[in-house]
Amino acid sequence: MEKARGDTALTGIRMRIDLNSDVGESFGVYTYGDDERVLQSVSSANIACGFHAGDPQVMRRTVRLAKAAGVAIGAHPGFPDLVGFGRRELKASLEDIEAAVMYQIGALAGIAAAEGISLRHVKPHGALYNLAARDPSVALAIARAVAALDRSLILFGPAGSALLAAGRDAGLAVAAEAFADRAYEDDGSLVPRGEPEAVIHDPAVVVNRVLGMVRDGRVRSRRGTEIELRPATICTHGDTPGAQRLAHDIRLRLEAEGVRIEPPRGAAGSGQ
Amino acid sequence: MEKARGDTALTGIRMRIDLNSDVGESFGVYTYGDDERVLQSVSSANIACGFHAGDPQVMRRTVRLAKAAGVAIGAHPGFPDLVGFGRRELKASLEDIEAAVMYQIGALAGIAAAEGISLRHVKPHGALYNLAARDPSVALAIARAVAALDRSLILFGPAGSALLAAGRDAGLAVAAEAFADRAYEDDGSLVPRGEPEAVIHDPAVVVNRVLGMVRDGRVRSRRGTEIELRPATICTHGDTPGAQRLAHDIRLRLEAEGVRIEPPRGAAGSGQ
Amino acid sequence: MEKARGDTALTGIRMRIDLNSDVGESFGVYTYGDDERVLQSVSSANIACGFHAGDPQVMRRTVRLAKAAGVAIGAHPGFPDLVGFGRRELKASLEDIEAAVMYQIGALAGIAAAEGISLRHVKPHGALYNLAARDPSVALAIARAVAALDRSLILFGPAGSALLAAGRDAGLAVAAEAFADRAYEDDGSLVPRGEPEAVIHDPAVVVNRVLGMVRDGRVRSRRGTEIELRPATICTHGDTPGAQRLAHDIRLRLEAEGVRIEPPRGAAGSGQ
Amino acid sequence: MEKARGDTALTGIRMRIDLNSDVGESFGVYTYGDDERVLQSVSSANIACGFHAGDPQVMRRTVRLAKAAGVAIGAHPGFPDLVGFGRRELKASLEDIEAAVMYQIGALAGIAAAEGISLRHVKPHGALYNLAARDPSVALAIARAVAALDRSLILFGPAGSALLAAGRDAGLAVAAEAFADRAYEDDGSLVPRGEPEAVIHDPAVVVNRVLGMVRDGRVRSRRGTEIELRPATICTHGDTPGAQRLAHDIRLRLEAEGVRIEPPRGAAGSGQ
């Protein structure tokens, strides 16, 4: 099966990918990122839900922008930590996390319903994402919250993570995520942000790496080893001008190579 | 069953009524009211949504308690003012209010969905309720938010208020609310809280007044005039031990008089 | 005396003025304004205290920047409304306002003490400023909070406002404030922001008006009448690139005319 | 009287002790603990500063109550986590912690100054206290914040902890704290809260243990070993009715044994 996938790529079956970006991270008078531009390039928008960023009006505007751009929307729940932008781990109980995830997804789903669209996916944010990637009990709390609320939501998480496993266990469709501009270790894990080679800055290199992931299911690790990486969705960050341009470049190149940019499918098998 | 109801109705108009109470107003380590007891007496629970009170875990526990008690649930959105408990008016824009109401209803609806039940109604809280009662533009912002999100939700508001009018204009079923222990003026408005006769403290008097509203559609104003008041729902506050007892007394007396205690119906005409 | 002041200006006694700006309004990952640049032009910095903007780290950084730039610092307390940036009026009790002002001044004073400098003034922010300008009881609550905390602090408020009067009554030195780029009515009040002529956009005109206020104690109203306006401090907003440039232009022009830019003096009579 | 007490001090080292309690943990409409009663028994009050509990009005009321009761006051800074009551560890940076501690101490100091008294001590709250007890870098960040703000403040921390060591290194007077109703291990550390014997429930046992610490500098570990423990201050929690009674019992017994209950002295050597 895994093998076949590479082959079928020739016929075009595997030649589609989702591009996602974090949006809706403005707050009150504060503007963060350029959502309008980034929504021109991605197929899935992860919308902040008011705990680490975003507020009801920002959420509503973002939902409208995404709808107008034809981009699928998902909830981007985080820790309740506005001043830390959800990037600081909080030793919350599993009950806390489960309820907080329900709350945030519900809040965005309510606004989306009022705007006439539905959520397609859920991607935890920041420290909650990183914690869920490695901690099976947190991952399960999140997956259970998502599944209890709406079984048709697709759970995004790093390829090979506890989060994806928990999503599958909870009966959810999942989408394995890769990062366009991040370096990987031989074992498929991300090079930690603190390290100098963690982020790849050359746009041309980034675009080529993404193409390799999508077309061949392979990418070179920082040690130079070719490793397997078959994402269903690729994260292109949206919070810097350079990143917005990058998302655009990635999209253009992928489309030029015949890859369709579209949200992951909810049916089983859309993730891996 | 339906038929029987019609028969008992022959003796009096409206031999059923909804009793509602504000619940889920605890927060973190702080307990407020005795929700478990009050849910034994009411048929509709107005659940705080995290802006003026409540947090995701409290909301979830409250939804579970209400479900277990067979009580219909509704969202109780308020101003974002935890320290002021939503009792302080905030000069928010209509866009702010509209989005904040969507957010809060959605958050509770998400938690409710995860617990396997649906919201039945929406009742604004505190200063937002009072503002919506008298300000048609705020009332409309709220009604539009509710209608956009879910047209089957019933909007609670004071009898004769701008809020009820806006609800009807927005195509919602509405439920006219009366207050069990509050005095009324000749024109049907509430005696303002600041005034000495605003609250009626004698439980026997309160119970009789409620019975009068339900059976006869009439109540005596503070000047002694009999005025018309035909509520679809009666608010029994839940935040003091005395009030919990009062809700219980009201229920017993109404049931003894053959009145059914049940949530308002969503169909047109359930409110007034 | 008042008359004499114009005359003495010739000798240079009146040829000094304070320029102030709101700074420290960033929050977490969100940047607001360009404090480093604006601090090059003003002599007093109004630092947000975490209720409407700012956070402890932002406050500390701002205190350091102001200290390094030799700019006097003051507290800029606001309503507890981060999402509304303190621009929305909140019907808080006088006790609430008094305690909230103490809290915010204290918080900034603590950080300033740790950085080795002291607060010089207090200027309420946004909706609290506007409310205090017209409501004597709110003005008094603020003035009493400031005086109770530190009698040497100078209270900033609009010329002729309830806030300045309350400051004087509470025994504080006050500084009458004018706005560089705002139009005035014949009675010395500001043209409301909603109206088209409220803000003066031509930098040359603004600079000339400021010079007129400082040198002659006069400015032309929007109807063309020359009115008296003798500010002790002039507000130059810091939140837009244009405004930063404007502060710079004002400073250059004033200095070219021999006006000294310096914080108001705390001794009685420094304000008016 | 004074003389007699001095004499008894000859026979034993340390015939005085500080009793402290956490107070001011109410918030808005929410009441927590019975501060008025607990302040009758203790000599030092740790007042919440609005991050994990407390609000400006609660802080002011608590300062007034403590002042009226003749109790020394101190700041009780915590993580910014109202819903978690500061009991959840947050992976904040050292810069964050340092600035947040300054902010909170300053806020309380401002309110205290307005009420005419000064802070005597600082005791971190909850998860921040526990983290500072074991993590030298966090301990140092806190100690530096305290020392930079006001070198005369006494830092409270567990006997033998990183927090006390950091306080001394920063040039602060420190007060070693013991817990009246908690069990200790042989090495002087607390039995973790999760374990069944962590809390001692029998008031008579608790009172005797406290007396042993104060008079003899010894207490029995949970394994039965006599260990040395010479606290300068003893924590009696204030958030349950039982605990309030306990503080009262401890005070009565200590006084009956000739121990003076008084705040720790700021001079070097008051702590250990």
Side-chain angles (χ1 to χ4, degrees), chain B residues 25 27-30 53 83 85, chain D residues 25 27-30 53 55 83 85:
Chain B
E25 300 189 316
F27 179 83
V29 300
Y30 302 111
V83 75
F85 203 63
Chain D
E25 300 188 317
F27 179 83
V29 299
Y30 302 111
D55 65 53
V83 74
F85 203 61

Side-chain angles (χ1 to χ4, degrees), chain D:
Chain D
M1 271 288 280
E2 284 297 319
K3 209 162 234 177
R5 242 180 251 175
D7 291 347
T8 58
L10 292 176
T11 61
I13 304 160
R14 294 204 155 269
M15 291 302 275
R16 58 187 162 77
I17 191 76
D18 179 48
L19 296 182
N20 79 73
S21 183
D22 301 350
V23 295
E25 300 188 317
S26 294
F27 179 83
V29 299
Y30 302 111
T31 299
Y32 194 80
D34 182 351
D35 289 352
E36 208 155 353
R37 275 193 58 197
V38 81
L39 286 168
Q40 301 310 313
S41 303
V42 299
S43 40
S44 289
N46 320 311
I47 301 180
C49 301
F51 273 43
H52 73 277
D55 65 53
Q57 279 216 66
V58 165
M59 290 164 72
R60 195 179 183 195
R61 274 201 304 271
T62 309
V63 165
R64 287 173 167 176
L65 285 175
K67 187 184 178 188
V71 172
I73 60 171
H76 198 40
F79 281 122
D81 176 23
L82 200 59
V83 74
F85 203 61
R87 288 177 175 160
R88 309 186 296 187
E89 194 176 312
L90 178 73
K91 288 234 168 74
S93 71
L94 299 179
E95 290 73 24
D96 264 341
I97 290 172
E98 205 172 316
V101 166
M102 289 174 182
Y103 182 100
Q104 292 180 70
I105 299 173
L108 182 66
I111 289 172
E115 295 297 334
I117 57 171
S118 298
L119 304 190
R120 287 287 303 270
H121 72 278
V122 173
K123 174 181 165 179
H125 166 82
L128 185 59
Y129 181 88
N130 294 334
L131 181 60
R134 66 174 194 270
D135 183 326
S137 61
V138 170
L140 192 59
I142 294 172
R144 279 169 39 180
V146 175
L149 203 152
D150 180 353
R151 197 163 287 275
S152 75
L153 291 166
I154 305 167
L155 185 61
F156 285 19
S161 67
L163 183 55
L164 282 201
R168 273 189 223 97
D169 287 352
L172 294 169
V174 298
E177 182 175 39
F179 293 83
D181 62 353
R182 294 289 298 278
Y184 282 88
E185 304 285 8
D186 280 6
D187 66 355
S189 67
L190 288 168
V191 175
R193 262 195 192 279
E195 304 193 20
E197 301 129 312
V199 177
I200 299 162
H201 295 286
D202 182 339
V205 173
V206 169
V207 170
N208 277 330
R209 288 170 61 87
V210 168
L211 188 62
M213 294 177 199
V214 175
R215 200 175 45 193
D216 313 318
R218 310 197 77 77
V219 77
R220 210 167 283 278
S221 79
R222 76 157 154 180
R223 297 187 160 229
T225 318
E226 271 228 330
I227 61 169
E228 195 178 329
L229 193 67
R230 297 184 179 280
T233 184
I234 292 176
C235 182
T236 69
H237 286 284
D239 54 356
T240 62
Q244 288 152 26
R245 178 65 194 273
L246 192 59
H248 183 68
D249 290 351
I250 292 170
R251 181 179 191 113
L252 283 190
R253 177 68 180 281
L254 289 174
E255 288 183 334
E257 299 284 341
V259 180
R260 288 183 60 176
I261 310 301
E262 59 181 27
R265 296 179 190 171
S270 70
Q272 49 170 323

Side-chain angles (χ1 to χ4, degrees), chain A residues 25-32 52-55 82-83 85 87, chain C residues 25-32 52-55 82-83 85 87:
Chain A
E25 301 188 316
S26 294
F27 179 83
V29 299
Y30 302 111
T31 299
Y32 194 80
H52 74 277
D55 65 54
L82 200 58
V83 74
F85 203 62
R87 288 177 175 159
Chain C
E25 300 189 317
S26 294
F27 179 83
V29 300
Y30 302 111
T31 298
Y32 194 80
H52 73 278
D55 65 53
L82 200 58
V83 74
F85 203 62
R87 289 177 176 160

Side-chain angles (χ1 to χ4, degrees), chain B residues 21-26 34-35 38-39 42 45-48 62 66 76 238:
Chain B
S21 183
D22 301 348
V23 295
E25 300 189 316
S26 295
D34 183 351
D35 289 352
V38 81
L39 287 168
V42 299
N46 320 310
I47 302 180
T62 310
H76 198 38

Side-chain angles (χ1 to χ4, degrees), chain C residues 19-146:
Chain C
L19 296 182
N20 79 73
S21 183
D22 302 350
V23 295
E25 300 189 317
S26 294
F27 179 83
V29 300
Y30 302 111
T31 298
Y32 194 80
D34 182 351
D35 290 352
E36 209 155 351
R37 276 193 58 197
V38 82
L39 287 168
Q40 301 310 312
S41 303
V42 299
S43 40
S44 289
N46 320 310
I47 302 180
C49 301
F51 273 43
H52 73 278
D55 65 53
Q57 279 215 66
V58 165
M59 290 163 70
R60 195 179 184 197
R61 274 201 304 271
T62 310
V63 165
R64 286 173 167 175
L65 285 176
K67 188 184 179 189
V71 173
I73 60 171
H76 198 39
F79 281 122
D81 177 22
L82 200 58
V83 74
F85 203 62
R87 289 177 176 160
R88 308 186 296 187
E89 193 177 312
L90 179 73
K91 288 235 169 76
S93 70
L94 299 179
E95 290 74 23
D96 265 341
I97 290 172
E98 204 172 319
V101 167
M102 288 174 182
Y103 182 100
Q104 293 179 71
I105 299 173
L108 182 67
I111 289 172
E115 294 297 333
I117 56 171
S118 299
L119 304 191
R120 287 287 304 270
H121 71 278
V122 173
K123 174 182 165 178
H125 166 81
L128 184 60
Y129 181 88
N130 294 334
L131 181 61
R134 67 173 193 269
D135 182 327
S137 60
V138 169
L140 191 60
I142 294 172
R144 279 169 36 180
V146 174

